[in-house]
Amino acid sequence: MKVLFVGIGGIIGSLLRYYTGVFTHTWWGSEFPLGTLLINLIGSFFLGWFTYRIIKRNVLHPAIATGIGTGIVGAFTTFSTFSVETVTLMKAQLWGFALLYVLISAIGGLLMSWAGCKLGSQSADKMKGGLPS
């Protein structure tokens, strides 16, 4: 059952990533890979929130939670694209963009994950028996 939910979630997450990248690329004209950065920051925030708001409180069936966390978020976010884009910036001698991208990705990802966990913990504390109070 989990495999099915992860597979379906993977389809959804990869399509979300693709269309977010396409949308971002249409209005962002810089060499800086803003689309992937936004995708990874959003994914970090959401997974932190989802872990503390949903998974830790057993709000969803474990197979569905795995499908969302591993399937959707796992397919939505991407370390491999981040790595290739960083190398591409370095090969183009855009060292400032490369360094900025790495720093914002790492520090921003951690901060967004922390913020998601914090928000998820706060909203989960306001719940009783899985239902909003």
Side-chain angles (χ1 to χ4, degrees), residues 33-108:
L34 182 64
T36 304
L37 177 64
L38 290 174
I39 286 165
N40 287 333
L41 292 177
I42 291 165
S44 294
F45 176 83
F46 179 79
L47 191 58
W49 175 85
F50 185 73
T51 298
Y52 281 84
R53 176 69 164 86
I54 305 299
I55 294 175
K56 296 246 183 223
R57 300 293 179 172
N58 295 315
V59 174
L60 291 176
H61 186 279
I64 296 171
T66 301
I68 293 170
T70 302
I72 294 175
V73 179
F76 180 65
T77 58
T78 175
F79 187 76
S80 57
T81 302
F82 158 75
S83 300
V84 169
E85 288 173 344
T86 302
V87 170
T88 300
L89 290 170
M90 293 186 316
K91 284 184 164 228
Q93 303 293 312
L94 297 170
W95 297 102
F97 274 169
L99 181 61
L100 183 65
Y101 187 40
V102 169
L103 290 175
I104 293 173
S105 294
I107 296 168

Side-chain angles (χ1 to χ4, degrees), residues 20-38 85 89 97 100-101 104:
T20 302
V22 168
F23 174 74
T24 304
H25 185 69
T26 61
W27 59 267
W28 181 255
S30 174
E31 296 284 331
F32 189 82
L34 182 64
T36 304
L37 177 64
L38 290 174
E85 288 173 344
L89 290 170
F97 274 169
L100 183 65
Y101 187 40
I104 293 173

